[in-house]
Amino acid sequence: MKIIRKINTLRRLIKKVKQDKKTIGFVPTMGALHEGHLKLIQQARKENDFVVVSIFVNPTQFGPKEDFKKYPRNLKQDAFLCRKEGVDVIFYPDIKQMYPEGFKTYVKVNDLSNLLCGRFRPGHFRGVTTVVTKLFNIVNPDLAYFGQKDAQQAIIIKRMVLDLNIPIKIKVIPIVRDKDGLALSSRNVYLNPQERKDAVILYQSLRLAKKMVKAGILETKKIIKKIKQLIHTKKTARIQYISIVDLENLKPISRIKDKGLLAMAVYIGDTRLIDNTILKNPKA
Ligand code: AMP
């Protein structure tokens, strides 16, 4: 396994891989890898001849008051895990490689980027779509892997690839959870022991919503009201948003006709956690 820091070095290697007619699978990450990331990597390994994982904590997707500085970084451990999974290359650029002086160009997916998390993190998805476009242009993969954990991100990337005729197939991998149901996230390390216990309330609220839908309660207002009550039983929890939206345009729906995306962002202490599930009308 190679760790490559320079864009030109990676381009030369990718050229060779392409000449050998090998397919390339790509997993973009910000590092601090956990089982969730590894699931994406394992799927990429299964489906491709050559696997590239990028590790880059992308400054343009963090707001000025967000955790860019304290975001966990651990290349040694990440490299150990990637080697174990049979990754061929870790692309590990520094900020100057990705954003040299004079950088001016951004990619923005309108509308979708301003809803859900976008309402509270202005500029976040513009940062994501810009860096993913750059990484796609550098790595030139056949397939790229994203997690359902960041459902809005996956929907936006799919839209972008379609709109800009980017010849890459996007694969979305189910959410990997801890034993108690908490969705794995690099940010879970911020939680103290009490908060870690309380954090499971996000998963429990998704389960409650699923149960309600199964029982025939399809009015989203009713579902949201109930799960807000449940989350408020934890003292450390502060809801940023809970929405049930259309899976394509991400706009709120009033009733689950067929399917709806239940998405939420909840602060547990000072840590912002996100989670989501797809609600399906059993009678549709
Ligand atoms: P990140 O390093 O947080 O930018 O995540 C890199 C990729 O891993 C994204 O596509 C995430 O959606 C995905 N990912 C993160 N956590 C999980 C998880 N618990 N289950 C599945 N995919 C995940």
Side-chain angles (χ1 to χ4, degrees):
M1 187 186 76
K2 286 196 171 91
I3 299 176
I4 295 180
R5 291 180 159 79
K6 297 281 185 254
I7 293 168
N8 285 341
T9 312
L10 181 58
R11 278 196 196 286
R12 277 196 296 275
L13 177 60
I14 294 286
K15 204 173 161 189
K16 261 199 226 141
V17 173
K18 296 256 175 202
Q19 276 166 356
D20 293 345
K21 301 255 181 299
K22 289 183 175 165
T23 61
I24 299 174
F26 176 45
V27 183
T29 81
M30 299 206 297
L33 302 182
H34 50 66
E35 276 300 323
H37 298 110
L38 298 186
K39 265 275 151 38
L40 272 59
I41 293 171
Q42 285 155 9
Q43 195 68 24
R45 185 68 282 172
K46 257 193 231 158
E47 297 177 347
N48 300 275
D49 303 317
F50 196 85
V51 173
V52 180
V53 173
S54 66
I55 296 177
F56 180 60
V57 184
N58 173 35
T60 65
Q61 71 188 68
F62 287 79
K65 288 187 186 144
E66 291 181 0
D67 56 341
F68 173 70
K69 270 206 182 128
K70 76 164 185 180
Y71 196 85
R73 292 161 169 89
N74 192 346
L75 180 64
K76 237 186 173 176
Q77 169 74 359
D78 290 349
F80 170 78
L81 294 171
C82 284
R83 196 169 284 121
K84 223 169 69 181
E85 296 298 341
V87 168
D88 294 289
V89 169
I90 292 179
F91 179 47
Y92 184 69
D94 63 16
I95 295 178
K96 272 199 196 136
Q97 277 284 303
M98 294 301 281
Y99 299 106
E101 236 183 83
F103 185 88
K104 292 274 183 236
T105 308
Y106 290 85
V107 178
K108 186 178 171 209
V109 177
N110 283 343
D111 303 333
L112 300 181
S113 296
N114 304 327
L115 299 164
L116 301 176
C117 289
R119 272 172 55 211
F120 302 95
R121 303 187 71 189
H124 168 69
F125 288 110
R126 185 184 81 144
V128 169
T129 41
T130 301
V131 82
V132 169
T133 303
K134 285 169 68 66
L135 291 166
F136 280 178
N137 285 333
I138 294 164
V139 177
N140 213 343
D142 299 279
L143 280 79
Y145 296 81
F146 293 85
Q148 178 65 20
K149 162 87 192 329
D150 299 273
Q152 184 176 11
Q153 171 174 282
I155 289 166
I156 290 173
I157 299 282
K158 277 186 175 171
R159 186 74 251 171
M160 176 184 86
V161 162
L162 203 66
D163 289 353
L164 298 182
N165 308 96
I166 299 175
I168 297 171
K169 191 168 177 201
I170 304 301
K171 294 246 173 166
V172 182
I173 305 299
I175 301 176
V176 179
R177 299 180 178 279
D178 229 331
K179 277 194 202 88
D180 63 355
L182 176 65
L184 296 183
S185 161
S186 305
R187 289 189 168 99
N188 291 351
V189 297
Y190 300 154
L191 301 167
N192 70 31
Q194 181 60 49
E195 291 166 350
R196 173 63 191 80
K197 272 191 208 154
D198 290 355
V200 75
I201 201 69
L202 278 82
Y203 177 62
Q204 285 167 350
S205 73
L206 300 180
R207 296 259 310 234
L208 174 61
K210 273 193 182 286
K211 221 168 111 186
M212 290 177 79
V213 172
K214 221 174 164 185
I217 302 165
L218 303 171
E219 246 183 278
T220 56
K221 236 192 194 166
K222 274 193 191 158
I223 301 169
I224 290 170
K225 191 176 166 196
K226 267 271 184 242
I227 62 181
K228 277 189 174 168
Q229 280 171 356
L230 178 66
I231 291 175
H232 282 142
T233 60
K234 299 291 177 193
K235 268 203 219 126
T236 58
R238 184 166 56 82
I239 295 167
Q240 187 175 62
Y241 75 82
I242 297 179
S243 305
I244 301 176
V245 300
D246 178 272
L247 272 155
E248 262 178 44
N249 65 27
L250 298 180
K251 288 194 178 140
I253 52 175
S254 56
R255 216 182 128 77
I256 298 162
K257 282 195 204 100
D258 172 20
K259 279 183 194 172
L261 174 70
L262 166 59
M264 60 178 65
V266 177
Y267 278 93
I268 301 290
D270 292 331
T271 304
R272 184 180 179 276
L273 300 178
I274 58 170
D275 207 339
N276 71 83
T277 195
I278 293 171
L279 299 174
K280 288 186 194 127
N281 180 351
K283 290 199 179 127

